[in-house]
């Protein structure tokens, strides 16, 4: 009887969740992504790939205005160079969007299976619906950037690490680092388990690809002389990082330094504390630690953009684990502030709405990190008290 009731609930859940998920996916792809946006992350990538193919200096942009720029290193340029063989942006963009959408769906499916749920259960379509409703997924598709593929790479790194496939985990992480160096802090996770093959591969892949790509990339030296100095600048446009907020509002340097130290300490507490779960629940440890590290990079680096919050998805799935920081409302508040697809600008409050839209993710990353650190500290202290109780 219980099995029948469970199957009936699953059937009802699927009947509700699948239409919502399919509707949101089709809407994001066929309407929003097809229409595009003023913000266009793809044209710069295709143009750079085309310059690589045509043997024209790749880093020939003017970096003193706020338009999206090509920010990838020569190794990533080599990986993305096949896009340059497509005849036009219009021909390449739909396939790039579709590839990222498929990657997001695959990542959500993989995370569902890792969490112990079957794809025929309602958890999968419900997760898809929630994912495609977020700002992160919506703007990844609308702006046509590569975050969907990177989410799949992050999921693969976690899955391969859980199953002890260290070399494969390190290789995938290395590819992610080549495209977005923001993934480099994740190398600390295999270090904490002394998985040196994963660490070696994670370092060797970006180093080798850049060494191979450097003589093949026209004007590669401009990456160091023109682009790296630009990357060190904290811009105050569409930058949700703590540094972006500080520059935008003219925050005193001492206050910025104090906040940076406090949230850096919270990241350290969360990551070091979560290490207590690295053997008893590797999936929780890897997923939650990677989420904290990614949130920390977004908050504390010179540039953090809201759609990077997609990298918190593996952490959100730990709500299905027996114990997790995602069992607290504060962690979900942080995730909601990062991922909510809400636009706060109104004709009556245009400036204030712009502030909320840009800097609520800042608060979200901060709340998420603090919630994880607090849960870890409280749980470990409680465990110690119970073990020492007479």
């Amino acid at each position: 009887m219980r099995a029948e009731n469970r199957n009936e609930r699953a059937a009802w859940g699927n009947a509700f969740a699948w239409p919502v998920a399919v509707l949101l996916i089709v809407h994001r792809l066929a309407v929003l992504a097809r229409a595009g946006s003023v913000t266009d992350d793809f044209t710069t990538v295709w143009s750079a790939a085309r310059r690589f193919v045509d043997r024209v200096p790749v880093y020939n942009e003017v970096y003193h205005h706020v338009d999206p720029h090509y920010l990838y290193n020569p190794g990533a340029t080599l990986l993305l160079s096949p896009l340059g063989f497509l005849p036009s942006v219009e021909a390449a963009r739909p396939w790039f969007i579709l590839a990222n959408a498929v990657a997001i769906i695959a990542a959500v499916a993989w995370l569902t299976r890792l969490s112990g749920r079957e794809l025929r259960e309602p958890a999968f379509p419900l997760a898809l619906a929630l994912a495609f409703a977020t700002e992160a997924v919506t703007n990844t598709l609308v702006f046509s950037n590569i975050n969907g593929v990177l989410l799949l790479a992050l999921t693969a790194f976690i899955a391969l690490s859980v199953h002890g496939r260290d070399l494969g985990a390190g290789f995938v992480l290395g590819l992610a680092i080549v495209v977005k160096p923001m993934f480099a802090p994740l190398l600390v996770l295999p270090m904490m388990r002394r998985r040196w093959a994963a660490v070696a591969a994670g370092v060797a892949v970006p180093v080798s690809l850049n060494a191979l790509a450097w003589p093949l990339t026209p004007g590669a030296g401009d990456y160091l002389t023109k682009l790296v100095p630009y990357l060190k600048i904290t811009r105050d446009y569409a930058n949700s990082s703590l540094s972006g907020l500080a520059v935008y509002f003219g925050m005193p340097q001492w206050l910025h330094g104090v906040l940076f130290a406090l949230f850096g300490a919270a990241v350290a507490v969360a990551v070091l504390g979560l290490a207590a779960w690295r053997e008893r629940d590797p999936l929780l440890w890897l997923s939650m630690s990677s989420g904290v590290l990614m949130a920390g990079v977004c908050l504390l680096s010179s540039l953090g953009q809201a759609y990077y919050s997609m990298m918190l998805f593996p952490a959100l799935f730990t709500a299905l684990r027996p114990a997790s920081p995602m069992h607290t409302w504060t962690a979900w508040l942080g995730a909601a502030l990062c991922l909510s697809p809400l636009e706060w600008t109104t004709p009556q409050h245009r400036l204030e709405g712009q502030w909320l839209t840009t800097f609520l993710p800042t608060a979200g990353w901060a709340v998420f990190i603090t919630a994880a650190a607090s849960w870890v500290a409280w749980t470990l202290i409680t465990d110690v008290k119970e073990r020492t109780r007479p």
Side-chain angles (χ1 to χ4, degrees), residues 13-162:
N14 280 322
F16 162 76
W18 271 116
V20 176
V22 171
L23 188 65
L24 281 168
I25 293 170
V26 170
H27 178 261
R28 267 44 180 174
L29 287 172
V31 179
L32 298 184
R34 185 180 180 185
S37 168
V38 173
T39 302
D40 177 7
D41 293 337
F42 180 71
T43 297
T44 55
V45 173
W46 178 85
S47 299
R50 189 70 178 184
R51 291 195 294 272
F52 181 93
V53 170
D54 291 341
R55 316 311 298 153
V56 176
V58 171
Y59 303 102
N60 64 356
E61 299 181 28
V62 178
Y63 291 98
H64 59 70
H65 52 72
V66 298
D67 289 346
H69 294 297
Y70 184 72
L71 305 179
Y72 297 124
N73 56 55
T77 302
L78 181 62
L79 284 180
L80 295 168
S81 60
L83 291 171
F85 291 101
L86 296 173
S88 66
V89 172
E90 292 74 20
R93 186 173 178 269
W95 293 106
F96 192 75
I97 293 170
L98 182 61
N100 277 275
V102 170
I104 293 166
I105 294 169
V108 171
W110 204 344
L111 289 168
T112 302
R113 294 289 293 118
L114 280 173
S115 301
R117 301 300 176 95
E118 299 291 334
L119 298 186
R120 63 175 179 268
E121 296 181 31
F124 177 46
L126 181 60
L128 281 178
L130 290 173
F132 276 81
T134 63
E135 182 276 346
V137 170
T138 300
N139 281 345
T140 285
L141 300 177
V142 172
F143 299 163
S144 311
N145 62 49
I146 201 169
N147 287 337
V149 173
L150 293 174
L151 173 64
L152 182 58
L154 174 60
T155 303
F157 163 70
I158 292 171
L160 292 170
S161 297
V162 166

Side-chain angles (χ1 to χ4, degrees), residues 245-333:
L245 183 146
V247 169
Y248 189 91
F249 289 107
M251 182 184 295
Q253 188 171 359
W254 68 266
L255 179 57
H256 179 211
V258 168
L259 292 174
F260 186 96
L262 286 174
F263 289 117
V267 170
V269 167
V271 172
L272 293 175
L274 283 164
W277 282 266
R278 66 186 183 276
E279 299 300 336
R280 52 177 156 166
D281 193 342
L283 180 59
L284 169 71
W285 170 66
L286 284 161
S287 300
M288 203 65 215
S289 297
S290 65
V292 170
L293 287 169
M294 289 291 94
V297 169
C298 292
L299 181 65
L300 300 177
S301 65
S302 62
L303 176 63
Q305 294 183 301
Y307 49 53
Y308 292 151
S309 301
M310 192 190 303
M311 305 311 154
L312 301 186
F313 283 5
L316 303 188
F317 271 86
T318 65
L320 300 174
R321 308 304 294 169
S324 169
M326 298 312 303
H327 292 180
T328 65
W329 69 266
T330 48
W332 281 105
L333 172 62

Side-chain angles (χ1 to χ4, degrees), residues 353-389:
Q354 181 183 337
W355 292 345
L356 285 173
T357 301
T358 302
F359 296 115
L360 277 183
T362 317
W365 297 324
V367 170
F368 181 84
I369 292 166
T370 304
S374 300
W375 181 87
V376 164
W378 176 262
T379 303
L380 292 178
I381 291 171
T382 302
D383 287 348
V384 170
K385 286 181 177 180
E386 289 181 354
R387 286 198 300 269
T388 57
R389 184 177 298 170

Side-chain angles (χ1 to χ4, degrees), residues 335-353:
L337 291 172
C338 295
L339 294 164
S340 62
L342 305 178
E343 171 60 54
W344 296 90
T345 305
T346 66
Q348 296 81 13
H349 302 285
R350 189 173 300 277
L351 183 59
E352 294 84 352

